[in-house]
Amino acid sequence: RTDLAFSLTDDRHHRIVRRAGRFFEKKREQATGLSPLPNTQQPLFVSFPPDDARNFWFPQSPSTSSTMPPNADISRLRQRIPSTTGTVSAADVDADPATQSVRSIKGLKGTEVAIDGVIYDIADFVHPGGEVVKFFGGNDVTVQYKMIHPHHTAKHLEKMKAVGKVNDYKPEYKFDTEFEREIKAEVFKIVRRGREFGTTGFFFRAFVYISLFFFLQYTFATSTNLNSTQGILLAIAFGVSGATIGLNVQHDANHGAASKKPWVNDLLGFGADLIGGCKWSWLAQHWTHHAYTNHADKDPDSFSSEPVFNFNDYPIGHPKRRWYHRFQGVYFLAILSMYWLSMIFNPQIIDLRHAGAAYVGIQMENDFIVKRRKYAIMMRAMYLFLNIYCPFANNGFNLSTFGIIMLMGVAESLTLSVLFSLSHNFENSDRNPTEAFLNTGEPVCWFKSQVETSSTYGGAIAGYLTGGLNFQVEHHLFPRMSSAWYPYIAPTVREVCKKHGVKYAYYPWIWQNLFSTVSYMHKAGTGANWELNPLSGRA
């Protein structure tokens, strides 16, 4: 088909077209030996406006009115002229009877998500950030969507097909507040749109951490001298190295913040599996944690340790309190040292149904997750082979080898879990960010809640070692920004928080944050924050 863009409105143009038709017909006869087409199949030459000239010459029978082959799927063809028939905006839901399906959130299909009460079909949606969007199929993702798209506008949602509404959506958080608008405006002056991903320095550090990890992994799996002083040092070094992968590589990647290219994030995100975890289970828990930080009913991290110890500061007499929690300020670090052990033998790897995420209502039965279960199991089997079977095979099945393996796990556990615990469990942290909503029904500012439930300690050097986890406030405000940028935006974030009266917790040194965490854990265990303090007797 030839596309010409001129008008056939005068006799001269008609003559040119007729001559062209006779020329192409003669060529067809010479090439095929066929006689001219019957009159009903002759090319039609019609007068039409220039906008429709693209179809000026084509065989068409009198009974055919469409130029599209029968049964053609127009949605899969590249359109020369943009089509508005492929998507349905949220505004169309009320106007189009075909999209007036009303369901509950639990009634969402595995290829659907709900945002602001509107159901979108993402089965054929090509997401710029990769297929990770399909991981959350079957769920309300209003908060997750807005926290990961800081430049969100209504135009973004128009790219997806709206198919209905949910009847049980009650927002606890509100967005586009004055505080949110100003903090975004000021931060985006420093980090321009499209530049929020990993810097050259970030990828250099990632390369160093990855190279060191693979060297130590090979040494640990092949060494025949683990039962020695050298083996002890190797176990500690390998455990800490694994933690650096979790902190500095997979964390940014699984937030979609390492690179603008989805495949780079996907690849680096498997660092979670290299250290005994699981990329997809991590996504289920961690993104839910980010959306509902310190929410006693919806943040999986806030109750993941129960009933052994409580991160949540429950009122005295609460059924989740136990008598031994009075001592949790002493023993919680020892329990956290077993984090690695609970991770590598977690049966949730079989179906990728993270218990914490499932408890708060996250559905994890969509096709995207189901298809990845076998890969998760394979990677876990590989990890157990390299880090448990190989050391025993090369050094003998004895208590000494078992101790070395456990030492490696403890080193990784403490490096990861202690840093995690500092982030949201400290004195005067907001343990009930949606209290105003519960009392008044008025949604609370999500950005404000992220600041007042998080803490920041140290500076750039601590950020390079911890993957920016020390800048927890900045990370929770901009979770899809690479950790490499947090040292640059932190001063601005503090200034805007001060202006708006938002509490920003900052500790110059990590040990100060640790002391505050231990103190908080003790008081949360004893209920000291709920006890009435005696009057001082002062006027």
Side-chain angles (χ1 to χ4, degrees):
R1 190 174 80 181
T2 306
D3 287 355
L4 298 178
F6 55 78
S7 174
L8 308 179
T9 57
D10 55 41
D11 292 340
R12 180 184 177 190
H13 287 165
H14 278 292
R15 288 196 299 273
I16 292 173
V17 172
R18 285 197 293 272
R19 290 174 183 173
R22 287 195 295 271
F23 173 79
F24 285 114
E25 184 62 27
K26 184 176 180 180
K27 290 294 184 181
R28 190 183 75 87
E29 292 177 30
Q30 293 174 353
T32 64
L34 299 176
S35 59
L37 294 170
N39 289 336
T40 58
Q41 293 293 321
Q42 288 287 355
L44 298 181
F45 302 97
V46 295
S47 297
F48 38 66
D51 287 345
D52 292 331
R54 61 191 184 279
N55 294 320
F56 89 97
W57 189 67
F58 51 86
Q60 180 171 331
S61 66
S63 62
T64 304
S65 60
S66 173
T67 63
M68 190 62 62
N71 303 320
D73 184 357
I74 191 172
S75 67
R76 294 181 178 275
L77 300 178
R78 181 172 66 89
Q79 301 298 303
R80 294 173 183 265
I81 296 180
S83 172
T84 60
T85 61
T87 62
V88 182
S89 68
D92 296 329
V93 175
D94 293 324
D96 187 356
T99 62
Q100 290 183 351
S101 170
V102 180
R103 284 171 276 155
S104 67
I105 293 176
K106 290 185 178 180
L108 294 174
K109 300 177 182 178
T111 57
E112 297 174 340
V113 296
I115 301 175
D116 284 330
V118 179
I119 303 173
Y120 296 93
D121 189 334
I122 59 173
D124 298 318
F125 177 57
V126 180
H127 186 244
E131 287 192 330
V132 68
V133 64
K134 296 180 180 179
F135 179 89
F136 296 96
N139 295 283
D140 176 87
V141 294
T142 301
V143 179
Q144 290 91 331
Y145 167 77
K146 292 182 178 179
M147 76 177 189
I148 215 72
H149 296 91
H151 301 283
H152 157 77
T153 66
K155 293 292 184 182
H156 289 83
L157 293 177
E158 291 179 359
K159 299 176 183 179
M160 298 188 293
K161 183 178 180 181
V163 296
K165 297 183 291 185
V166 293
N167 56 12
D168 54 351
Y169 171 64
K170 295 181 180 180
E172 296 180 278
Y173 297 98
K174 59 183 176 182
F175 292 84
D176 198 31
T177 61
E178 182 180 353
F179 173 62
E180 174 187 345
R181 289 193 294 270
E182 181 164 355
I183 203 165
K184 282 183 176 180
E186 295 302 316
V187 166
F188 293 155
K189 291 178 183 177
I190 302 170
V191 185
R192 299 293 182 180
R193 185 172 185 176
R195 299 190 62 188
E196 66 268 25
F197 302 100
T199 61
T200 301
F202 168 81
F203 281 103
F204 173 76
R205 291 190 296 275
F207 174 78
V208 172
Y209 289 131
I210 292 171
S211 300
L212 178 62
F213 172 80
F214 277 114
F215 170 75
L216 294 175
Q217 171 68 90
Y218 174 80
T219 306
F220 189 78
T222 59
S223 175
T224 58
N225 191 33
L226 289 181
N227 300 326
S228 64
T229 302
Q230 181 180 356
I232 293 174
L233 297 176
L234 173 61
I236 296 173
F238 181 45
V240 173
S241 176
T244 63
I245 297 296
L247 297 170
N248 295 275
V249 181
Q250 73 86 24
H251 188 261
D252 272 50
N254 283 324
H255 270 287
S259 173
K260 186 182 298 184
K261 299 177 181 178
W263 70 267
V264 175
N265 293 321
D266 286 341
L267 181 62
L268 295 180
F270 285 110
D273 297 82
L274 293 178
I275 64 174
C278 174
K279 169 182 177 176
W280 296 296
S281 288
W282 187 92
L283 285 172
Q285 178 179 10
H286 197 70
W287 279 42
T288 307
H289 155 69
H290 266 269
Y292 305 104
T293 310
N294 279 7
H295 192 303
D297 297 322
K298 293 185 177 180
D299 180 1
D301 284 9
S302 72
F303 51 79
S304 60
S305 61
E306 297 173 1
V308 181
F309 60 84
N310 288 339
F311 282 124
N312 285 320
D313 189 5
Y314 294 112
I316 294 176
H318 194 281
K320 289 191 175 182
R321 282 192 174 276
R322 301 288 188 272
W323 65 267
Y324 49 83
H325 290 159
R326 299 183 64 85
F327 308 101
Q328 69 176 30
V330 176
Y331 69 75
F332 85 99
L333 289 176
I335 299 299
L336 289 178
S337 69
M338 298 293 106
Y339 172 70
W340 171 83
L341 199 61
S342 67
M343 180 171 62
I344 65 170
F345 291 116
N346 194 325
Q348 296 168 12
I349 192 70
I350 298 174
D351 58 7
L352 294 184
R353 287 180 52 83
H354 189 277
Y359 177 82
V360 303
I362 301 297
Q363 304 297 319
M364 291 168 282
E365 288 293 338
N366 58 63
D367 289 343
F368 180 90
I369 294 177
V370 171
K371 291 178 180 178
R372 282 153 179 77
R373 289 172 178 169
K374 59 188 174 195
Y375 302 113
I377 294 173
M378 290 170 56
M379 286 184 283
R380 179 59 53 81
M382 179 185 71
Y383 180 86
L384 295 176
F385 173 80
L386 291 174
N387 297 293
I388 294 183
Y389 173 79
C390 287
F392 277 127
N394 295 328
N395 298 272
F397 190 82
N398 51 60
L399 288 177
S400 179
T401 304
F402 173 78
I404 290 294
I405 295 173
M406 288 302 301
L407 179 60
M408 179 271 292
V410 168
E412 179 179 318
S413 296
L414 289 177
T415 307
L416 285 173
S417 58
V418 171
L419 294 179
F420 290 159
S421 66
L422 301 180
S423 303
H424 309 289
N425 307 287
F426 53 92
E427 290 187 300
N428 299 318
S429 62
D430 189 351
R431 300 305 310 188
N432 192 9
T434 57
E435 181 178 11
F437 170 78
L438 296 174
N439 294 334
T440 67
E442 178 68 21
V444 299
C445 174
W446 184 83
F447 271 71
K448 179 177 181 290
S449 73
Q450 295 305 300
V451 176
E452 296 186 342
T453 57
S454 307
S455 67
T456 289
Y457 63 84
I461 295 177
Y464 299 152
L465 296 174
T466 66
L469 282 187
N470 61 311
F471 292 101
Q472 199 67 199
V473 173
E474 290 71 23
H475 175 55
H476 271 253
L477 289 172
F478 302 97
R480 207 185 173 201
M481 179 183 290
S482 172
S483 58
W485 291 105
Y486 296 154
Y488 299 96
I489 70 172
T492 297
V493 169
R494 292 173 205 166
E495 290 178 5
V496 177
C497 288
K498 182 178 180 179
K499 177 181 177 180
H500 287 265
V502 177
K503 297 178 182 178
Y504 182 108
Y506 174 69
Y507 299 91
W509 300 95
I510 185 174
W511 61 265
Q512 295 170 319
N513 199 163
L514 178 60
F515 284 177
S516 180
T517 295
V518 173
S519 177
Y520 166 78
M521 292 299 293
H522 171 69
K523 293 177 180 178
T526 61
N529 291 324
W530 296 91
E531 295 176 351
L532 293 176
N533 294 321
L535 297 177
S536 64
R538 297 177 182 175

